[in-house]
Amino acid sequence: MEFGPHLMLAILEGAVGASVLALTALGLSLVFGVMRVVNVAHGEFFMLGAVVAWFVANSIAGHPAIGFLAALAIAPLIAGAVAMLVDRLILKNVAYDPEATIVGTIGVLYILQQSALMIYGPEARPVEPPFSHRIALPWVEWGENGLAFFYPWGLSITSYKLFVIVAAIAILLAFWLVMSRTRLGLIMRATQMDRETALAFGIPVQRVYSIVFGFGAALAALAAVLIVPIQQAHYLMGHDPLLLSFIVVIIGGLGSVRGTIVAALLIGMSDGIISVFLSPTLSKIIATLLVALVLVFRPQGLFGKKMA
Amino acid sequence: MTKALKTTRRTLLKGAGAGGLLAASPLLGRFASAQSAAPIKIGFQQHSTGIGAAYGRWYGRTTEAALKMINDAGGINGRPVEIIAEDDGTDPKRGAEVVEKFSNQHGCDVAYGTLFSHVVIGSAPAAGEQKIPYFVVSEGHHVASGALNRYTLQPGITDVKSQVQAMAPYVSENLGKKVTMIFPDFAFGHDHRDFFTAAIEAQGGEVLEHIAVPPSETSFTKYFPKIPRETEVLYHVMVGPAVLTFVKELGEFFGPSSPAIFGFIDSLEAVDLASPGLEFLEGTYFWEGNPRYAQADQTEYDKAYRAAVGVDENGASVSDPSDVSTYAHMFGCWETLHIIKAGMEAADYQGPDDRQKLIEAVEAMTDMPESMEHPQGPKLFNGKTHQVFGVQYISRVENGRLVKVHTTSIDDTLYPDEVDYTTQSF
């Protein structure tokens, strides 16, 4: 493939990956920012979203779009509800102790993963996209008659992949509005800034924690519903998103929304571009190396605040 | 007597132990004489979870069906046969543990049933150490290459080297000579890479590009731009939970202007050919170990085998048409179990002491005519390399069905021996 179209394909693929990654990592970052809980089970909430999407889409007859829309509404709700239950049953009982919550969420990881294996089974199952058209993309070239459009071989995207990018941007905007313009966002930010003072001002911190943990899981599930028509639901699919989310959150700065989104774009796009041009393994190596560099030279992350 | 007077807890325990042994010894004798009625235990290393799960499910069903047929016909040497299935998670490390468990814990007579080549390679040394015959159903070339040991045999399914060697002439004559290969990046895929490249070069063709994809990959479009523009034939073989995504994205990438496509059905095992997004496969070619769709010239054996396993004429479960089988591979379980039976009968197998006799009996096998025991087709077993050879099928997608267009001969699949396991000591 020629360099120009090749690069464009890489950027498009990277953009799809980055959008889904941004949503997933945002959930992880939010939970850490507000609750100081490192949620190792985050990837499993992603998986839960995909698996629930499959169940929902398959139990609703008619046009695939109906099942998909239903999944888009139901899967984050269920993942959020499960997460709130986890918060009440486990995290609260270990008093949100940082070490204990890590061990606790590792346990949750296995419980969710093995439950999915028992109930959903070991197969990878597809969810039909609501719409999917192959869009061949043109490229310009300086030919005999001046600038001319042509359609290079293999340069294409599907309408659904474009939708994923647009949907992710819309969700990110909505998230930003909730955080900055609503009372709920205000309460969350207050809890993040200073738990004790928030408590003193009558903010029900315990309930905020539950909501935040559920909200974080719902974001992961939402990302999974968007990706599942492209990648299929599988009980082991939570591993990669978890790893990448951690990478993103560490680079962006734990708890920083802006940093998370910038880092997700950086990692997602570079993953797309490096893996198209060089090798996918190399892109993982570089991402991990970046984490190491950030940890050495800027431990608080690109946009994180230095902890006292 | 004087010692017995000074009874401590320890001596009491010793005494009890000795008494237990004495009491048990007549029992031991009785068990030995009753052994001929005890079931023969076959340890089934099953990929119930992990990336091989779809195969594991159907290998399980085929195994159950073959077991029923064998037991209904009186078992092996007059003894019932029992399958002990253990999940290996499609993981080499766990695979080795499972083989040890079969030998030490379950007291299995033989181990059997592994598909994924990295698990076979990981488990075979354990089988050699435990001295338990290990019948794999894997397709990998590692058995015949001499990399494993005398306890590992592959008598029920042909290996990749013979398969691709038999495909190369058809590909170069009918589809094109400039090939790009996409394959999974582990032992099985490397067999494809090495042997098909050699085989197509022997036909005067060439492989322009080798594209290796990690078997746990979930997104594939990023690999496709490496396909050179002058490719005449795209050769694909993929495994793992994301095969449907792989083929779908392949179609999205090429759109209306694709080269000829030749795939190993592995890329679509357990996947419905009618899945949305696969329409572009119409007119493309597939290797099939055993034709998924019942063909016009279906043999009575295939008919009976299908019915026994519970597969309809589209290659899906009779109870759930969306549950598509791994038809091109799972016959290997059926045939291997019948070979274990034939071998045990030839060796007059009585128990684990006769394991070497069993291996020698299987090594002595040669021709296996097409029959109820070998419904996929006739086979030729090479006792020296522990590998079976058989006919291969090429099918074309026509109206959303795979229609057989070519059957190779066994001769097409033969290659010179690379090892003589019979010279190795047990």
Side-chain angles (χ1 to χ4, degrees), chain B residues 188-252:
Chain B
F188 166 73
H190 298 163
D191 281 355
H192 273 273
R193 176 193 64 196
D194 298 343
F195 302 126
F196 186 79
T197 306
I200 198 84
E201 278 165 6
Q203 298 295 322
E206 62 171 323
V207 176
L208 301 175
E209 188 75 43
H210 292 109
I211 302 175
V213 180
S216 55
E217 183 58 270
T218 52
S219 148
F220 301 90
T221 305
K222 55 194 173 205
Y223 296 91
F224 299 144
K226 292 189 193 121
I227 301 169
R229 188 68 217 251
E230 57 276 23
T231 299
E232 292 170 359
V233 186
L234 184 79
Y235 177 108
H236 67 91
V237 53
M238 195 48 58
V239 294
V243 287
L244 176 59
T245 312
F246 168 74
V247 182
K248 253 163 66 174
E249 294 194 339
L250 197 61
E252 284 163 10

Side-chain angles (χ1 to χ4, degrees), chain A residues 247 250-253 266-267 284-302:
Chain A
I247 290 176
I250 290 170
I251 292 178
L266 185 75
I267 293 296
K284 295 271 187 307
I285 294 174
I286 291 178
T288 322
L289 192 69
L290 214 56
V291 168
L293 289 177
V294 164
L295 284 177
V296 170
F297 294 107
R298 205 178 152 82
Q300 72 273 30
L302 295 182

Side-chain angles (χ1 to χ4, degrees), chain A:
Chain A
M1 207 182 226
E2 302 84 351
F3 179 77
H6 198 159
L7 181 67
M8 183 156 164
L9 189 75
I11 290 173
L12 286 171
E13 284 296 308
V16 175
S19 354
V20 174
L21 183 57
L23 292 181
T24 317
L26 199 56
L28 190 70
S29 173
L30 177 73
V31 167
F32 181 82
V34 176
M35 304 167 68
R36 302 279 140 184
V37 165
V38 177
N39 180 14
V40 184
H42 196 63
E44 303 316 307
F45 290 115
F46 180 87
M47 180 274 294
L48 193 64
V51 166
V52 171
W54 183 84
F55 275 114
V56 172
N58 257 48
S59 54
I60 293 176
H63 193 273
I66 303 169
F68 178 78
L69 284 175
L72 214 47
I74 295 172
L77 282 181
I78 290 184
V82 171
M84 286 167 96
L85 203 67
V86 166
D87 174 66
R88 284 287 156 94
L89 293 180
I90 298 164
L91 301 184
K92 189 182 163 194
N93 285 316
V94 296
Y96 301 97
D97 172 68
E99 282 90 27
T101 49
I102 290 180
V103 178
T105 50
I106 290 176
V108 173
L109 179 156
Y110 283 114
I111 291 170
L112 289 178
Q113 193 179 84
Q114 296 303 307
S115 309
L117 176 62
M118 280 191 282
I119 298 166
Y120 172 80
E123 294 85 30
R125 300 181 221 232
V127 169
E128 211 173 313
F131 50 86
S132 186
H133 309 279
R134 181 180 187 274
I135 304 170
L137 299 170
W139 190 254
V140 284
E141 195 181 47
W142 196 259
E144 290 167 10
N145 311 319
L147 215 55
F149 277 104
F150 75 112
Y151 289 88
W153 191 57
L155 181 59
S156 68
I157 192 163
T158 61
S159 51
Y160 182 75
K161 282 184 178 171
L162 286 178
F163 165 76
V164 170
I165 299 172
V166 174
I169 293 171
I171 294 167
L172 289 176
L173 278 175
F175 177 83
W176 175 74
L177 281 176
V178 168
M179 286 307 277
S180 62
R181 299 291 151 90
T182 66
R183 200 180 144 70
L184 181 67
L186 185 69
I187 289 173
M188 284 198 222
R189 280 183 292 139
T191 314
Q192 173 165 7
M193 271 181 189
D194 192 333
R195 181 176 187 266
E196 271 71 39
T197 315
L199 206 56
F201 274 81
I203 289 175
V205 167
Q206 176 58 51
R207 206 181 303 159
V208 173
Y209 276 10
S210 274
I211 292 171
V212 164
F213 202 67
F215 201 37
L219 274 172
L222 202 55
V225 179
L226 287 178
I227 202 69
V228 80
I230 304 175
Q231 284 192 357
Q232 307 172 66
H234 186 241
Y235 79 104
L236 291 176
M237 72 190 295
H239 182 254
D240 272 3
L242 175 72
L243 202 68
L244 283 172
S245 296
F246 267 121
I247 290 176
V248 162
V249 168
I250 290 170
I251 292 178
L254 273 167
S256 156
V257 172
R258 193 169 42 142
T260 303
I261 292 171
V262 170
L265 276 175
L266 185 75
I267 293 296
M269 295 301 274
S270 71
D271 183 62
I273 292 169
I274 295 168
S275 57
V276 166
F277 279 102
L278 300 162
S279 95
T281 322
L282 187 68
S283 79
K284 295 271 187 307
I285 294 174
I286 291 178
T288 322
L289 192 69
L290 214 56
V291 168
L293 289 177
V294 164
L295 284 177
V296 170
F297 294 107
R298 205 178 152 82
Q300 72 273 30
L302 295 182
F303 291 85
K305 289 191 192 76
K306 264 215 171 91
M307 277 191 227

Side-chain angles (χ1 to χ4, degrees), chain B residues 22-327:
Chain B
L22 272 176
S25 53
L27 269 177
L28 274 176
R30 207 181 326 154
F31 184 67
S33 62
Q35 197 177 26
S36 56
I40 285 179
K41 290 182 182 173
I42 298 180
F44 174 26
Q45 193 182 20
Q46 190 174 13
H47 303 325
S48 301
T49 57
I51 60 171
Y55 286 96
R57 182 175 70 239
W58 281 99
Y59 269 39
R61 289 173 186 168
T62 312
T63 299
E64 286 303 317
L67 179 73
K68 183 173 183 303
M69 181 175 158
I70 289 171
N71 278 335
D72 286 355
I76 297 176
N77 290 335
R79 293 164 58 186
V81 182
E82 190 186 325
I83 294 284
I84 295 166
E86 281 272 356
D87 179 18
D88 62 13
T90 327
D91 176 69
K93 188 169 167 286
R94 241 168 102 183
E97 289 164 5
V98 163
V99 168
E100 283 172 15
K101 209 171 162 188
F102 285 148
S103 171
N104 297 330
Q105 210 169 319
H106 294 303
C108 290
D109 295 281
V110 300
Y112 140 93
T114 331
L115 168 69
F116 272 64
S117 56
H118 59 316
V119 186
V120 170
I121 292 169
S123 309
E129 280 164 26
Q130 299 291 331
K131 300 197 179 299
I132 183 169
Y134 182 41
F135 292 87
V136 300
V137 191
S138 153
E139 288 191 313
H141 178 58
H142 29 266
V143 178
S145 73
L148 305 181
N149 53 52
R150 192 159 184 192
Y151 283 89
T152 309
L153 304 105
Q154 186 153 254
I157 194 164
T158 59
D159 72 329
V160 170
K161 183 170 182 177
S162 70
Q163 292 166 2
V164 300
Q165 179 185 317
M167 294 299 107
Y170 190 89
V171 170
S172 72
E173 279 161 30
N174 298 288
L175 306 177
K177 292 192 185 296
K178 290 180 178 166
V179 184
T180 292
M181 298 182 71
I182 304 182
F183 52 86
D185 199 3
F186 73 119
F188 166 73
H190 298 163
D191 281 355
H192 273 273
R193 176 193 64 196
D194 298 343
F195 302 126
F196 186 79
T197 306
I200 198 84
E201 278 165 6
Q203 298 295 322
E206 62 171 323
V207 176
L208 301 175
E209 188 75 43
H210 292 109
I211 302 175
V213 180
S216 55
E217 183 58 270
T218 52
S219 148
F220 301 90
T221 305
K222 55 194 173 205
Y223 296 91
F224 299 144
K226 292 189 193 121
I227 301 169
R229 188 68 217 251
E230 57 276 23
T231 299
E232 292 170 359
V233 186
L234 184 79
Y235 177 108
H236 67 91
V237 53
M238 195 48 58
V239 294
V243 287
L244 176 59
T245 312
F246 168 74
V247 182
K248 253 163 66 174
E249 294 194 339
L250 197 61
E252 284 163 10
F253 178 81
F254 284 123
S257 55
S258 80
I261 296 179
F262 180 86
F264 265 63
I265 195 67
D266 309 57
S267 297
L268 280 179
E269 277 288 66
V271 171
D272 192 347
L273 218 53
S275 304
L278 298 190
E279 300 79 9
F280 78 101
L281 286 173
E282 188 71 20
T284 69
Y285 293 82
F286 280 98
W287 164 88
E288 286 198 284
N290 200 16
R292 176 189 296 184
Y293 292 83
Q295 302 293 317
D297 61 350
Q298 186 189 25
T299 63
E300 53 175 311
Y301 307 125
D302 184 66
K303 209 169 192 169
Y305 159 73
R306 252 174 222 270
V309 182
V311 176
D312 67 13
E313 58 175 25
N314 295 324
S317 163
V318 284
S319 56
D320 178 6
S322 70
D323 187 0
V324 175
S325 70
T326 57
Y327 206 75

Side-chain angles (χ1 to χ4, degrees), chain B residues 350-372:
Chain B
Q350 296 300 328
D353 290 342
D354 294 336
R355 282 170 176 169
Q356 296 178 8
K357 273 163 72 186
L358 167 64
I359 289 176
E360 283 166 343
V362 177
E363 282 171 348
M365 295 180 178
T366 50
D367 276 318
M368 302 170 178
E370 190 165 17
S371 59
M372 203 52 242

Side-chain angles (χ1 to χ4, degrees), chain B residues 374-393:
Chain B
H374 300 282
Q376 183 262 353
K379 295 203 173 51
L380 179 68
F381 185 67
N382 184 337
K384 287 181 179 169
T385 63
H386 284 190
Q387 176 61 52
V388 81
F389 294 85
V391 299
Q392 310 294 333
Y393 302 101

